[in-house]
Amino acid sequence: MNDANAHDVAALLDDVRRGRVRVKDRTRAIALVLHGGRAEERQPNRWRDISYLRMLPFAASIARASNGRVAPVLVHNTHGGWIAKGGSGVVQAREVIRELVEKHELPVVVLGHSSGGWVGLRVAADPGVAGVVALAPWVGERERTAHLRSPDVRLRVIHGDADDVCDPERARALVGRVAAAGADATFELVPGGNHALLDSPRQWHGRASRAVLDLVD
């Protein structure tokens, strides 16, 4: 890992520590919440970053719906988009997952939106990952799926049919391919749902929380 990537990982881990993962005796899993946002450029300050702020209610919804069985932690990527070639987004996420698993000895469910959902697709087969919930994920034309073709992979993709940023049909096709190859993968289409998840926020929060609990249970 080069110095720039090491700095990115250190900064993101600091966000995790400040996020105060509240693990209790009844906690069975940790939900790592990854925001979307800019694909390659630096994100704004966290309290001015709408992509980060958008995910705060998702974290609260998971904590409430699980009654403490799932401890959410929302991190902020300030050093470039998750997809950026030089941003080491997947490296960052993997290091965060590794530290969470080692520290708390609990499985991690990744909940990611847009480019954060893309990261979730990339780490779905990693050690310690109990499953991935991808909300309106960015899916490339030639998205890699070899690592997802396993019965150990558990994937829930939720996508609005009115999304004009990330193509829901690409996501549906990806789910179909990996499910046919043996993965536990499902696709849920939200009528009228847009990419920003703001068309019916409570509906999105509820769908995401149920999917996370499904993977934990």
Side-chain angles (χ1 to χ4, degrees), residues 167-185:
D167 187 354
E169 290 309 313
R170 282 190 191 176
R172 187 202 297 269
L174 180 145
V175 170
R177 291 196 301 273
V178 300
D184 177 6

Side-chain angles (χ1 to χ4, degrees), residues 7 13 17 42 54-55 67 83 112 120 134 146 162 169 194 196-197 208:
H7 173 69
L13 290 177
R17 297 185 186 99
R42 291 177 62 89
R54 178 189 292 122
M55 302 308 291
N67 192 28
I83 300 175
E169 290 309 313
N194 60 36
L197 314 180

Side-chain angles (χ1 to χ4, degrees), residues 75-144:
V75 298
H76 187 235
N77 182 349
T78 60
H79 300 283
W82 295 111
I83 300 175
K85 294 180 180 179
S88 68
V90 175
V91 173
Q92 294 175 8
R94 283 179 168 148
E95 188 66 16
V96 170
I97 292 167
R98 183 192 63 78
E99 180 168 284
L100 289 172
V101 172
E102 288 185 358
K103 180 177 181 180
H104 300 288
E105 297 183 341
L106 291 169
V108 172
V109 174
V110 178
L111 170 65
H113 171 235
S114 192
S115 57
W118 175 84
V119 172
L121 296 177
R122 291 299 177 99
V123 304
D126 284 15
V129 176
V132 171
V133 179
L135 305 176
W138 185 88
V139 176
E141 291 185 17
R142 300 180 181 179
E143 191 66 45
R144 290 184 290 173

Side-chain angles (χ1 to χ4, degrees), residues 9 18 26 83 104 108 144 149 205 213 217:
V9 170
R18 285 189 288 165
R26 62 177 178 272
I83 300 175
H104 300 288
V108 172
R144 290 184 290 173
R149 298 169 181 259
H205 302 159
L213 290 177
D217 292 335

Side-chain angles (χ1 to χ4, degrees), residues 6 24 39 42 49 102 120 151 164 185:
K24 304 177 182 179
R42 291 177 62 89
D49 186 353
E102 288 185 358
D164 59 359

